[in-house]
Amino acid sequence: MILPIACAQLACTPFDPASNLAKADHFVREAARQGARLILLPEFLATGCAYDRRLRDFAEPLGGPTTRWLRRQSRRTKCWIGAGIIERAGGLFDTFVLAGPGGEVFSYRKQYPAFFERLYFDRGQSVGIFDTDLGRVGVMICWDMVHARPSDAMAGRVDLLLICSAWPAVGGGNFPLYGARGWLDRQPLLRPKALAERLKVAVAYCNMTGPFVTPVPWLGLTYRSVYAGGSSLTDARGRTRGAAGLEETIIVGEVQIEGRPRRSAA
């Protein structure tokens, strides 16, 4: 099956869901107009991200405002649409939600919160594999993609991999991260291709762009950088089918899904 996929790379304002979802609405409409059947949006779509206690204030349950927004967008465009939310469910989770045009809702909780995220987010315990009409869709969130365990668990079990992300470009930040910044800044460009080759499936990677400004816990400092952008579509042979720089943009490309589509359950 040939599947047109869009990655909508946008800048999100911290803790301003109304403006972020209004902007995302424009991107979703344009991606659908360009023929996408699946639209991928970034991690922390509605809230943006800063290491701040307001992460808890803006958390929502699965089925809350952003989930309902995704379902409305999916019904209207007849596209599958996925994005990251801050989920409140006893603890706090960095969660990916995928909504289908038939009312389907699938969710996955990030297994590997990164750095200061571990002060706020609990770890998900399940592998992200959704059995959908499109086939078996694997899901990772940002830092998950550098760990071997999620990809090992998906080997031979997925037909497509989606990665939503809010990965900053730390090399240009106001505090130098000696010894790590080169490696960190390369991963958004290298890991999607490596995972496509490892799993032999197409990979859609959607990162955030724009300013990254956050308090530094305990130190009373503010860290300033930008998100790394670099959203991409890679086919099952590791060939790039579309790529973005740092700009707000939509990339749309067609990829081959080798698996047989399966009926989904909401």
Side-chain angles (χ1 to χ4, degrees), residues 75-91:
R75 286 196 301 270
R76 178 176 57 79
T77 61
K78 298 182 173 56
C79 295
W80 289 82
I81 304 176
I85 70 168
I86 301 174
E87 181 194 1
R88 184 177 62 251

Side-chain angles (χ1 to χ4, degrees), residues 115-243:
F115 305 106
F116 292 119
E117 289 176 357
R118 290 177 288 181
L119 299 175
Y120 300 94
F121 295 107
D122 297 293
R123 289 183 58 174
Q125 300 299 317
S126 301
V127 178
I129 301 177
F130 305 155
D131 195 9
T132 79
D133 290 352
L134 302 176
R136 299 166 301 176
V137 177
V139 174
M140 296 179 187
I141 302 175
C142 204
W143 196 241
D144 288 339
M145 70 180 178
V146 305
H147 288 269
R149 187 169 293 178
S151 59
D152 287 347
M154 291 182 187
R157 299 176 59 198
V158 298
D159 306 312
L160 170 68
L161 176 61
L162 307 179
I163 307 170
C164 80
S165 186
W167 190 295
V170 298
N174 59 326
F175 302 142
L177 299 176
Y178 297 117
R181 58 187 179 182
W183 182 87
L184 286 167
D185 285 355
R186 289 193 297 270
Q187 298 317 299
L189 302 178
L190 298 180
R191 288 303 295 168
K193 173 179 168 59
L195 287 165
E197 293 173 344
R198 161 81 172 86
L199 298 174
K200 297 179 173 55
V201 299
V203 175
Y205 173 71
C206 186
N207 198 16
M208 202 175 285
T209 191
F212 175 57
V213 180
T214 181
V216 180
W218 303 314
L219 298 181
L221 301 173
T222 299
Y223 180 76
R224 294 180 175 85
S225 185
V226 295
Y227 288 102
S231 299
S232 62
L233 294 169
T234 308
D235 71 15
R237 297 183 181 180
R239 299 175 299 190
T240 301
R241 294 301 188 189

